[in-house]
Each structure stands twice: as C-alpha cells, then as structure tokens.
Amino acid sequence: FDTSNLFYTIAEIGINHGGNIDLAKRIIDSAAKTGVDSVKFQTYITEKRAPADSPIFDILKQCELPFEAFRELKLHADSNGIDFFSTPFDNESVQCLEDIGINLYKVASFDVVNNKLLRRLSSNKEKAIIMSVGMATLNEIKNAYKILSSNTDKISILHCVSAYPTKDTDANLETIRTLKKEFDCVIGQSDHTDDIEVSIFAAAMGAQVLEKHYKIDENMDCVDSPVSITEVQMTKLINKLQ
C-alpha cells in the first residue's frame, strides 16, 4: 500500500456481493468512481471458517466465492486502476491469493492471535500486511507485530471497534495515538460507523490507512449494509481527505 499521498483508502466489499460475481464487479466499478485506492474482499472456505451449527454458517456459505473468481475480480479491479486484495481465513485461501499475485493481505481482527496464519502471511517479504486489531489487547497486538515484523517491514495496524454498527461516540479514536506511540509502522482506522465523520476525525488523529465497508447505494440489500457507506458518501470522504 502506498501512503506517499498521505492516505490509503479501502472500500471493504467483503461479502456484500452475496456470492454473485457479476454484482461484485458492479461494486468494484462503483468504488472505482469514488477515487478510492483499493477494494477488499474476503477469501475463505466456509467449513473452515465456521462450524455447521453456527448462526452465520448459511450466510457465509451463500456469500462464498469460488477461488477462480478472485483472479477474475482482481483483473476487473486492475482494469479500473485500483488495487485488489482480500482477507484470507485459511491456508488454501492464502494460496489462492498467492497464485493470483496480490501484493497485499488483510488480517481480520479475530486472527490477531492466529500465530500460524500470521507467520504464513509474513513469510513472503514482498507482500504488505494490513491488520485490524478490534477486541485485541495491547499485548496481543505486540505479539502479532513481533511475528509480522520478524519477516517484513510492510505493516499497517488499523484501530478498529468490533461493533456493527459502531456509534460515533464509541469510536475511541484516542487509541490511534497509542498505536502510533507503540508501533513503528503505518497506523490506520477500520471504521464501522454508518457515515464518514469518524474517518475524517481518524485522519486528523494521524490515521493514514482508512477502511470503510462499501455498498453501491442505499437500495442495495447486502449483509453488511448497516455499516457500509455508499458511492456518494465514499466520494465525499475521498474529496475531504485531499
């Protein structure tokens, strides 16, 4: 990720495509219009991510994309002039992303303590890693950072409140200052509020990587709709950051 322009912005498409690759492409097209730097997806095998009796199993299964779809989506993002990357949740998914040549990985908040995954992701020194740290203690973040930084210096840590949606008053942006003091890497914010003000305040606090869940418009029925911003909102955010 390139923060030479001060900010690196991410439209987190995640699983908002509902497993429909054509819709995924349309969301990429929409995100590209906003001026965002990148789009992010989730790559996983449902059976390895959640137990069969989990309340989210059926949703995850419905939204699971076949591995071959990610090459197609990366090419689509490339054609739009924006970066493509994803959050892998298992070894097979990591390999899928390796095979299509992505340059950047995202670590989900609950994988901050997944040492095995962290070692795997950081083993390729050419890849950059962005890690959200919602729910993690400072010691857990330090341990994860130690593992990652032993192999690569291309690391960004994102302050995150793992509440969907997050109230503006619960954003706890002071944590950004703490992370900047504790870690010698790029610090950012993964925001789960339903608008853009908190992201703007995070940028003022020193966050350089800014991630927002993304949907095309308010009429789009998607899994993460309550925490996703629209093309209009993202465009406004990008303009305010310039």
Side-chain angles (χ1 to χ4, degrees):
F1 51 97
D2 180 10
T3 55
S4 58
N5 292 326
L6 192 57
F7 301 111
Y8 185 80
T9 50
I10 304 164
E12 157 69 308
I13 296 173
I15 56 175
N16 275 349
H17 49 75
N20 184 325
I21 190 170
D22 292 328
L23 177 57
K25 288 179 180 178
R26 293 203 300 275
I27 305 174
I28 291 172
D29 292 338
S30 169
K33 293 177 189 173
T34 70
V36 77
D37 292 303
S38 63
V39 289
K40 189 191 80 68
F41 284 76
Q42 295 179 16
T43 310
Y44 60 89
I45 298 169
T46 304
E47 288 77 7
K48 292 197 166 192
R49 185 170 174 185
D53 59 353
S54 167
I56 64 168
F57 182 90
D58 290 342
I59 295 171
L60 290 174
K61 193 65 181 176
Q62 179 185 338
C63 297
E64 181 182 327
L65 288 170
F67 284 168
E68 60 266 22
F70 289 93
R71 184 182 302 277
E72 197 172 333
L73 292 174
K74 181 184 183 298
L75 290 171
H76 196 76
D78 290 346
S79 70
N80 274 281
I82 56 177
D83 295 340
F84 174 93
F85 69 110
S86 189
T87 303
F89 289 87
D90 50 75
N91 278 334
E92 292 88 344
S93 297
V94 174
Q95 191 59 53
C96 163
L97 299 175
E98 285 281 335
D99 290 345
I100 65 173
I102 68 157
N103 297 313
L104 175 60
Y105 289 119
K106 174 73 188 295
V107 176
S109 288
F110 55 79
D111 275 329
V112 169
V113 294
N114 188 341
N115 295 348
K116 184 178 179 181
L117 179 66
L118 298 178
R119 282 192 289 268
R120 172 75 193 274
L121 293 179
S122 64
S123 63
N124 189 327
K125 294 178 172 58
E126 300 306 311
K127 312 285 186 182
I129 299 170
I130 295 176
M131 179 173 67
S132 285
V133 293
M135 301 182 292
T137 66
L138 184 57
N139 281 339
E140 288 171 341
I141 301 169
K142 285 181 176 178
N143 180 67
Y145 180 76
K146 182 179 180 180
I147 292 170
L148 296 178
S149 61
S150 66
N151 288 317
T152 181
D153 59 359
K154 299 176 182 178
I155 304 168
S156 176
I157 296 175
L158 305 192
H159 166 55
C160 174
V161 176
S162 297
Y164 301 82
T166 303
K167 295 178 182 177
D168 287 14
T169 51
D170 294 334
N172 195 22
L173 295 182
E174 187 63 32
T175 301
I176 293 171
R177 285 203 177 106
T178 301
L179 293 173
K180 286 178 70 69
K181 182 177 70 174
E182 293 284 346
F183 300 99
D184 183 23
C185 67
V186 175
I187 301 301
Q189 157 88 342
S190 178
D191 180 53
H192 295 130
T193 63
D194 61 2
D195 210 339
I196 64 172
E197 282 78 12
V198 167
S199 294
I200 294 167
F201 294 145
M205 296 279 284
Q208 289 185 269
V209 177
L210 299 165
E211 179 182 71
K212 290 288 293 184
H213 284 257
Y214 187 82
K215 59 186 177 183
I216 297 172
D217 54 39
E218 292 294 352
N219 296 320
M220 185 177 161
D221 182 22
C222 54
V223 174
D224 291 323
S225 184
V227 298
S228 299
I229 62 170
T230 64
E231 183 178 312
V232 170
Q233 289 171 300
M234 184 67 86
T235 302
K236 188 181 295 184
L237 173 60
I238 301 301
N239 288 338
K240 285 183 177 292
L241 291 173
Q242 291 175 347

